[in-house]
Amino acid sequence: MFFLDGIISSRHMKKIDTYATENLGIPSIILMENAGVGSYYLLKDEPYKSYVIVCSTGNNGGDGLVLARQLFVAGKFVYLNIVGDMDRQTDEFKTNLEIIKKIGLSYRLIKNKEVDLEILKAQIERSDAVIDAIFGIGLTRDVEGIFADTINTINKYSKYTISLDIPSGLECDNGIVMGTCIKANRTITFYKTKNALVNESQYSGKVDVVPISIPYDLTI
């Protein structure tokens, strides 16, 4: 469902994020926590008992880590995977990964196409749903390499895929597929509906909007 919140471009969303942190004093990690917790509350009554979660090392991946923690402490079985350069973690991602370690949720790094993607395939086949938290609204170039291989593996084997904010590989404003793209059954987007989600249901599936504590009526 769409909340009556309007539609927002990637450029405007970035300005809103900056305004929220710099002018309203809402730390970025709080916005991330709100996104992950809000996503959990949308999913908590669904019948899925086991999840594969795939995160990158940016803030979209951080949203995924928050959701992974919430599902884990609620008793769901979580296979957590991280794809991307661990030397390029955002501060918010790094903080949430430390929490993941301390609560005892293990994770795997996806680096090797032959070995790690075979393991991902096996995880997907044993699980009820996949959470895509790889790329967010800032994607501006084609998806390649291990990222593309990971997305294609999810698309091939997932029974039900949920994307956070936007399906990974879908350009936020014009709905262009950047080389390859997650084909989600459901997208949980944050604050307002992103442009590309309106007419690209073949990639986004059902769309829900989660509030993240930023006022909807900001005019900046």
Side-chain angles (χ1 to χ4, degrees), residues 67-87:
L67 178 55
R69 166 165 44 91
Q70 294 293 324
L71 291 168
F72 179 71
V73 300
K76 305 294 184 180
F77 194 93
V78 175
Y79 293 107
L80 179 58
N81 299 268
I82 298 172
V83 59
D85 188 349
M86 294 297 283
D87 292 330

Side-chain angles (χ1 to χ4, degrees), residues 146-213:
I146 194 67
F147 294 102
D149 293 331
T150 298
I151 287 172
N152 293 337
T153 298
I154 293 170
N155 284 341
K156 185 172 182 179
Y157 297 106
S158 176
K159 306 173 191 69
Y160 191 88
T161 303
I162 302 156
S163 288
L164 298 187
D165 212 15
I166 195 166
S168 292
L170 189 66
E171 188 271 332
C172 180
D173 292 326
N174 299 301
I176 299 168
V177 173
M178 307 298 284
T180 190
C181 178
I182 286 287
K183 295 178 181 177
N185 301 97
R186 183 177 190 179
T187 299
I188 300 173
T189 198
F190 308 127
Y191 182 63
K192 291 187 177 185
T193 304
K194 310 311 181 296
N195 284 356
L197 300 178
V198 177
N199 297 315
E200 302 300 333
S201 60
Q202 71 268 38
Y203 298 108
S204 62
K206 174 189 176 185
V207 177
D208 293 293
V209 182
V210 164
I212 54 173
S213 78

Side-chain angles (χ1 to χ4, degrees), residues 24-109:
L24 301 182
I26 307 173
S28 180
I29 198 162
I30 296 297
L31 299 176
M32 183 177 289
E33 185 74 9
N34 291 341
V37 171
S39 298
Y40 166 73
Y41 275 100
L42 281 180
L43 296 175
K44 71 182 184 69
D45 295 324
E46 297 290 347
Y48 315 121
K49 299 184 184 301
S50 54
Y51 292 85
V52 171
I53 301 181
V54 184
C55 302
S56 67
T57 58
N59 281 353
N60 189 254
D63 298 334
L65 293 183
V66 175
L67 178 55
R69 166 165 44 91
Q70 294 293 324
L71 291 168
F72 179 71
V73 300
K76 305 294 184 180
F77 194 93
V78 175
Y79 293 107
L80 179 58
N81 299 268
I82 298 172
V83 59
D85 188 349
M86 294 297 283
D87 292 330
R88 300 184 65 182
Q89 302 172 52
T90 64
D91 290 341
E92 294 83 2
F93 180 93
K94 188 178 297 184
T95 296
N96 275 292
L97 188 59
E98 287 302 313
I99 298 171
I100 289 289
K101 295 174 184 177
K102 290 175 182 177
I103 66 172
L105 174 54
S106 61
Y107 62 91
R108 291 187 54 85
L109 300 180

Side-chain angles (χ1 to χ4, degrees), residues 96-140:
N96 275 292
L97 188 59
E98 287 302 313
I99 298 171
I100 289 289
K101 295 174 184 177
K102 290 175 182 177
I103 66 172
L105 174 54
S106 61
Y107 62 91
R108 291 187 54 85
L109 300 180
I110 298 176
K111 297 188 291 185
N112 182 285
K113 179 177 178 179
E114 286 73 25
V115 175
D116 295 329
L117 292 182
E118 277 298 312
I119 293 171
L120 178 64
K121 171 190 170 185
Q123 292 176 348
I124 292 171
E125 290 176 336
R126 291 194 293 264
S127 298
D128 298 323
V130 175
I131 305 291
D132 154 42
I134 303 172
F135 296 122
I137 64 171
L139 185 67
T140 57

